[in-house]
Amino acid sequence: MLLYPVYALLFADAGLSTGAISSLFAIWSIVSFLAEVPSGALADRWSQRGLFAVGSAVTASGYALWIIWPAYPGFALGFVLWGVGGACASGTLEALVYDHLGSPDYARVMGRAGTAGILAMLAATLLAAPVYAVGGYRLVGIASVATVTLSGLLALRLPSAPFRTPEEVTESSEDSYAATLRDGLRASVRNARTIWAVLIAALVPGFTALDEYLPLLSREKGAATTVVPLLFALTALAMAGGSALAGRFPTLARRRLAALLALAAALVAAGALTRSLPGMVAVSAAFGLLQFAMVLTETRLQEAITGRARTTVLSISGFLSEVFAVALYGLFALDAPLPALFALCGLPLAATAFATARYI
């Protein structure tokens, strides 16, 4: 999505202040929170691939609105559409893939898909500048709309979810949207293993919200503005590698997975507190380990889910992940040195590692 690296600049060039831009992000987050779980239940009740396609179309409409109406109301409405579209897509594709493949094939496929997605993001970042130079924000926007729309159309070519046996459905005899939503909520708290699987699958990706502050951390360590994108690319490559390796080790023992999370916590703290640029290598390695763990903890959650409300449960985990990410943003709003805040994040990550070793 070529708009990703430049949409904040689009808002600024349209005359918006930093506060106004922050309010747009708040609108996006609130809409995403409100739509996350209801959209998951709708996918389980109606069609996973259908809702993914609808979500892609709604998101593309939001991007188009930014180009057609480049003012605060247009940007705000575009974020509303993006929030709804993103919620519709959240968990739907993952649930559909797991329904067809199961574990450990799910981890292999999603690990490779994650690698491809991260590399595509890198490519988009590199392409954004020359595309903008040729056609400005309009061409960047058109390319982004076309890409997202194409992803939705391709999703429609995926096979539909397989039929379930009576033993695989929930005990609820109702066949309605409300019943599906209730089934998903119940499935999320069915037993201790499921509860912890939901929580851990939410916490691990939540830590990746730290990447928003990596450019600032790089500059704190003395990196020139021209070097910052290279360091960000290093982190992205580490995450791509972590995703690829997760596909090769889909059944990693939980204690080994927990040890990798503990190592990630140590690398984040040590890298952040190192005053020179080599500390960013340690931080990048930590993000690679987080990406590795993210694929496997999501696989553990998929294994723990039973019944027809798989997408709903995944959406609940996604909702909790967003809540945790917002809590991290709140932490970084404190008037404290950036390296210290990064190091402080190593503590909840170490606690997540302990919970992984004990409960999943």
Side-chain angles (χ1 to χ4, degrees):
M1 202 271 284
L2 297 185
L3 269 173
Y4 181 77
V6 299
Y7 66 74
L9 301 178
L10 168 64
F11 304 152
D13 290 345
L16 270 63
S17 66
T18 302
I21 294 173
S22 296
S23 71
L24 292 175
F25 293 153
I27 291 170
W28 183 27
S29 297
I30 291 170
V31 173
S32 298
F33 288 166
L34 294 177
E36 181 78 30
V37 177
S39 65
L42 181 60
D44 287 323
R45 178 70 182 87
W46 175 50
S47 168
Q48 293 163 340
R49 65 178 182 177
L51 194 66
F52 184 91
V54 169
S56 297
V58 172
T59 300
S61 299
Y63 297 157
L65 196 58
W66 289 352
I67 305 304
I68 296 170
W69 191 7
Y72 185 88
F75 296 146
L77 185 54
F79 266 118
V80 169
L81 293 173
W82 189 1
V84 172
C88 288
S90 176
T92 53
L93 188 62
E94 293 84 353
L96 182 61
V97 171
Y98 190 88
D99 280 339
H100 281 280
L101 296 180
S103 178
D105 289 337
Y106 173 84
R108 295 192 185 99
V109 171
M110 296 308 292
R112 293 170 186 169
T115 300
I118 294 168
L119 294 178
M121 180 187 69
L122 270 178
T125 300
L126 296 174
L127 285 172
V131 172
Y132 174 81
V134 172
Y137 291 120
R138 184 174 296 275
L139 183 58
V140 171
I142 291 172
S144 299
V145 169
T147 300
V148 176
T149 302
L150 179 61
S151 71
L153 294 175
L154 290 175
L156 291 175
R157 297 184 61 85
L158 295 171
S160 60
F163 291 107
R164 301 179 185 277
T165 64
E167 291 77 15
E168 292 177 303
V169 298
T170 59
E171 295 179 359
S172 173
S173 60
E174 298 180 68
D175 187 21
S176 65
Y177 173 82
T180 302
L181 182 58
R182 287 196 301 271
D183 288 342
L185 295 172
R186 289 169 182 164
S188 300
V189 294
R190 183 180 301 277
N191 52 49
R193 179 175 179 245
T194 305
I195 293 172
W196 280 106
V198 168
L199 290 175
I200 293 171
L203 286 172
V204 173
F207 282 106
T208 61
L210 293 172
D211 66 357
E212 302 286 353
Y213 301 96
L214 289 180
L216 298 177
L217 183 64
S218 300
R219 181 170 288 177
E220 184 89 10
K221 295 182 183 300
T225 302
T226 54
V227 176
V228 170
L230 299 178
L231 294 173
F232 190 84
L234 176 64
T235 303
L237 289 174
M239 294 175 71
S243 187
L245 287 174
R248 299 192 63 179
F249 300 97
T251 58
L252 191 71
R254 66 182 185 182
R255 292 192 179 277
R256 292 184 180 180
L257 178 58
L260 291 178
L261 283 172
L263 177 59
L267 288 172
V268 165
L273 295 175
T274 300
R275 295 188 176 183
S276 57
L277 279 179
M280 294 304 299
V281 177
V283 174
S284 296
F287 271 82
L289 292 173
L290 281 174
Q291 184 68 28
F292 179 94
M294 189 163 62
V295 175
L296 295 191
T297 53
E298 184 184 295
T299 303
R300 299 290 198 276
L301 174 57
Q302 293 271 24
E303 292 169 348
I305 300 171
T306 59
R308 64 179 181 178
R310 181 174 301 277
T311 314
T312 309
V313 178
L314 293 177
S315 293
I316 291 170
S317 180
F319 171 82
L320 293 174
S321 182
E322 292 289 344
V323 170
F324 178 63
V326 170
L328 285 183
Y329 296 150
L331 172 66
F332 277 77
L334 297 176
D335 186 16
L338 194 63
L341 293 174
F342 262 88
L344 187 61
C345 289
L347 295 177
L349 183 51
T352 303
F354 174 79
T356 300
R358 185 178 180 114
Y359 297 109
I360 71 165

